[in-house]
Amino acid sequence: MRAGYLTLETHPAHPGLVRLRGLEAAPPTPAPPPADGDAPTLRFAARFSDLDAALMHFHSGLRRALVDLDGRLYRAPLGDAVAVAEAIELPHRRVFIDPALAHDQRLANTVETLHRRHRRWDRFFNAVGIAALVLLAIRALFGI
């Protein structure tokens, strides 16, 4: 388990694509995009105590939007990609978010929807586990 930063970037050469990166060191402080549009622009960064699990959860959330596995490029709106990263149910701390997204109510709503979906799946699997334990207890008590 290694701690690190999950970052999302966009690049003018790849419109409509979001690049996922996992960094062990803090990402550089974002600067305004260069006029020539030659460099990627940092849009989101969060520090996770388990970077590998965070990358896996992000991929799971946007697996159908994957364009390039090696380049970690996803064809998804930036807001949706940031929402998936924010909704990862692992301890994390947001380090940076694009100012254009910081106060976006749609982003907040999408994150809350994803949290609710995760809680529903957790409750479902907990119910399955409890049912299995009850059946095992019944078998042990009655020798079935």
Side-chain angles (χ1 to χ4, degrees):
M1 186 166 86
R2 64 185 173 115
Y5 296 85
L6 181 147
T7 65
L8 299 175
E9 299 174 343
T10 58
H11 195 288
H14 305 289
L17 298 179
V18 176
R19 181 176 181 213
L20 170 69
R21 291 180 61 197
L23 305 172
E24 291 187 15
T29 305
D36 61 0
D38 194 29
T41 304
L42 180 67
R43 302 298 185 158
F44 176 83
R47 186 178 194 293
F48 285 85
S49 55
D50 188 354
L51 179 60
D52 295 321
L55 294 171
M56 182 216 38
H57 282 283
F58 181 87
H59 174 73
S60 177
L62 281 182
R63 65 188 171 276
R64 289 182 179 89
L66 183 65
V67 173
D68 179 11
L69 180 61
D70 293 330
R72 292 184 177 164
L73 290 173
Y74 295 84
R75 185 172 310 284
L78 180 60
D80 292 349
V82 170
V84 167
E86 270 290 312
I88 294 174
E89 303 293 338
L90 294 172
H92 67 280
R93 177 180 48 90
R94 182 193 306 166
V95 175
F96 174 77
I97 188 166
D98 188 325
L101 295 171
H103 302 292
D104 185 7
Q105 189 58 40
R106 183 178 168 273
L107 174 64
N109 292 342
T110 304
V111 169
E112 185 55 38
T113 300
L114 290 171
H115 279 306
R116 279 196 307 272
R117 183 180 300 155
H118 295 159
R119 285 192 298 268
R120 270 196 311 269
W121 276 109
D122 285 346
R123 284 193 300 269
F124 171 75
F125 284 114
N126 285 340
V128 168
I130 290 170
L133 288 174
V134 168
L135 288 174
L136 284 172
I138 289 172
R139 279 189 68 161
L141 288 173
F142 298 112
I144 299 175

